Amino acid sequence: ALHYYDADLDDGDTKHQQHSGDLVPRKQTQLHIDYKQTGVGGINSWGTWPLEKYRMDYKNYEFSFKISPIKK
């Protein structure tokens, strides 16, 4: 959950990537919900795949979730 848009942090091809400390937080909260994430980087950091146990097979995945309010 971030108080920034993705585009605030990375505006694409122009490559003016920002750090969150450089930005003014927005009132909105952007929430990313992912089912899984494959490993980042291989055994030697660059050029190889992550270990097999950290990879996701190439296929369609489905999942569901429910967001419920929390009472204080």
Side-chain angles (χ1 to χ4, degrees):
L2 299 172
H3 289 287
Y4 314 101
Y5 294 153
D6 289 342
D8 294 340
L9 296 165
D10 181 356
D11 56 0
D13 292 338
T14 55
K15 300 296 181 197
H16 295 113
Q17 288 95 346
Q18 301 292 320
H19 296 94
S20 58
D22 299 328
L23 302 172
V24 176
R26 295 178 179 268
K27 292 176 75 173
Q28 303 90 340
T29 300
Q30 183 172 337
L31 182 64
H32 291 269
I33 299 174
D34 298 317
Y35 170 63
K36 286 186 173 183
Q37 183 174 329
T38 196
V40 293
I43 298 169
N44 65 356
S45 295
W46 302 104
T48 62
W49 284 89
L51 294 175
E52 189 169 339
K53 65 182 180 179
Y54 299 118
R55 295 183 212 162
M56 293 178 61
D57 294 331
Y58 183 75
K59 62 181 184 179
N60 290 327
Y61 292 89
E62 289 186 28
F63 72 103
S64 61
F65 59 93
K66 179 179 178 181
I67 298 176
S68 301
I70 298 173
K71 296 180 182 179
K72 290 186 179 184

